[in-house]
Amino acid sequence: AQKVTQAQTEISVVEKEDVTLDCVYETRDTTYYLFWYKQPPSGELVFLIRRNSFDEQNEISGRYSWNFQKSTSSFNFTITASQVVDSAVYFCALSEDNTNAGKSTFGDGTTLTVKP
Amino acid sequence: AAGVIQSPRHLIKEKRETATLKCYPIPRHDTVYWYQQGPGQDPQFLISFYEKMQSDKGSIPDRFSAQQFSDYHSELNMSSLELGDSALYFCASSEASYNEQFFGPGTRLTVL
């Protein structure tokens, strides 16, 4: 069984602060995929990143960066110089390698509020 | 680029009524997933289809059924609706050989 834990239910920061959203996962598979999604108030799920279990390289995309550490089963997400538009619910998700039914298990989400 | 299409985007029903949600996957995607996201909750997997056959089943109530058609679109049928069925329903599609799901915009179902 797979499980994703996002320990931070809510985070509030002031604009321009850096913020890290934590994600810890559990899986028995050796091959799996990790995702981060952003869900703004409008409700759609916006894909941010996908990582497979064999690629532990950290990634940076603009103000976003991700730190994947298999040793601690963590896949943390950092927003640098946060902006008000970053306010949203962020979900970390795990999908096991199954070519026919790789359903995703989501964490409970972290609500990020960025204040001006 | 084409995305996953869901219709309708919003649906209001009364208790005990039925509802049908539709999902049109990205062209050439052969796998469809349905998720339910209740207010303040994370998306929960309901059911998936691969090549028109059910491939996995999650926490889908017996009152719900789904199928994938020959053109790969999928429909989620919900009967005897309850207040607790009010949620955002996401459909996602993928190619079986490439494990990345693309989510649709969701259908917001409100049961009164």
Side-chain angles (χ1 to χ4, degrees), chain A residues 5-104:
Chain A
T5 301
Q6 294 179 253
Q8 304 145 311
T9 305
E10 295 181 9
I11 300 177
S12 181
V13 298
V14 177
E15 211 170 17
K16 296 198 179 102
E17 286 185 4
D18 298 347
V19 58
T20 295
L21 282 59
D22 297 334
C23 173
V24 174
Y25 62 91
E26 295 176 30
T27 178
R28 286 178 289 197
D29 275 16
T30 54
T31 303
Y32 50 89
Y33 301 84
L34 294 163
F35 305 83
W36 275 97
Y37 295 92
K38 174 182 179 180
Q39 188 172 46
S42 52
E44 73 270 24
L45 282 171
V46 179
F47 168 82
L48 296 178
I49 190 171
R50 168 185 182 265
R51 253 301 170 259
N52 74 53
S53 51
F54 297 111
D55 183 2
E56 282 194 77
Q57 276 196 338
N58 291 331
E59 181 157 337
I60 297 175
S61 176
R63 296 184 296 107
Y64 296 169
S65 61
W66 291 269
N67 184 316
F68 176 27
Q69 293 196 351
K70 285 182 75 171
S71 60
T72 56
S73 297
S74 65
F75 186 42
N76 296 337
F77 171 34
T78 297
I79 301 175
T80 303
S82 59
Q83 300 175 1
V84 172
V85 293
D86 295 328
S87 297
V89 181
Y90 290 85
F91 290 100
C92 179
L94 166 69
S95 177
E96 291 170 344
D97 183 26
N98 182 327
T99 55
N100 291 344
K103 64 181 182 286
S104 291

Side-chain angles (χ1 to χ4, degrees), chain B residues 65-77:
Chain B
S65 65
Q67 57 181 322
Q68 186 179 30
F69 295 85
S70 57
D71 64 351
Y72 294 100
H73 95 272
S74 177
E75 294 183 4
L76 176 66
N77 299 295

